Amino acid sequence: MKHVLSVLVENRPGVLSRVTGLISRRGFNIESLSVGPTENPTMSRVTAIVLADDVAYEQITKQLHKLISVHKITDLTDEGAIERELVLFKVNAAPERRSEIVEIANIFRAKIVDVGKSSLTIEATGDDAKLRGLEDLLRAYGIKETVRTGKVALSRSSRD
C-alpha cells in the first residue's frame, strides 16, 4: 500500500540521510521524496511516499520516532490531504503546432516557461491524475524531456 508520510525534522546536515537510510535499510522503496524548510527556518518537512504494508509502515514510523532529529510524524495517507507535484515538460513544438500546445497547457492551467526554435517547456502543478492527463495529451506532440519534483502534502484545514 502507498503511504504518504510527513516528517518534521531539524534543518541540519545529515538528517535527510538518516531518515531515508532508515527507510531503505528496511528494504522499502521511497516512491517520491520532497524536502524543504518550513515556516520555522530551524525545521524542515520531509514528504515521502513509501510502498509498504501496514505492519511494515508501523515499524518504519516507530523507528523514525527514535531519531533525535525527528520532531513529528504525520500519516497523511487516509486524511484526504492536499497533495501537489510540479512537473516540467519539454515538448516538440513546430511553429505551426504551437497554438495547439499552448491551448492544451491553458486548459490544465499550466504555464509556458521557455520557448525554443523547435520546443516549448511547460510547467504544471497538481495532483497525479492531472499531471498524467496533461502528459498523455502532450505525448502526441513528442515529449523531449520530463522532470518531476516529489510530492508535497499537507493535511486539510478541517483537521485544525
Side-chain angles (χ1 to χ4, degrees), residues 92-112:
N92 290 323
E96 63 274 2
R97 301 201 71 192
R98 285 189 183 180
S99 63
E100 298 169 28
I101 297 169
V102 169
E103 191 172 323
I104 290 170
N106 288 337
I107 290 169
F108 283 85
R109 294 186 186 149
K111 294 188 251 178
I112 307 299

Side-chain angles (χ1 to χ4, degrees), residues 67-115:
L67 295 177
I68 293 169
S69 53
V70 172
H71 288 265
K72 183 178 179 183
I73 299 171
T74 306
D75 183 355
L76 299 174
T77 306
D78 298 324
E79 298 296 323
I82 300 165
E83 294 181 16
R84 294 293 182 267
E85 189 172 5
L86 170 72
V87 64
L88 296 173
F89 296 107
K90 187 180 285 185
V91 181
N92 290 323
E96 63 274 2
R97 301 201 71 192
R98 285 189 183 180
S99 63
E100 298 169 28
I101 297 169
V102 169
E103 191 172 323
I104 290 170
N106 288 337
I107 290 169
F108 283 85
R109 294 186 186 149
K111 294 188 251 178
I112 307 299
V113 293
D114 186 51
V115 178

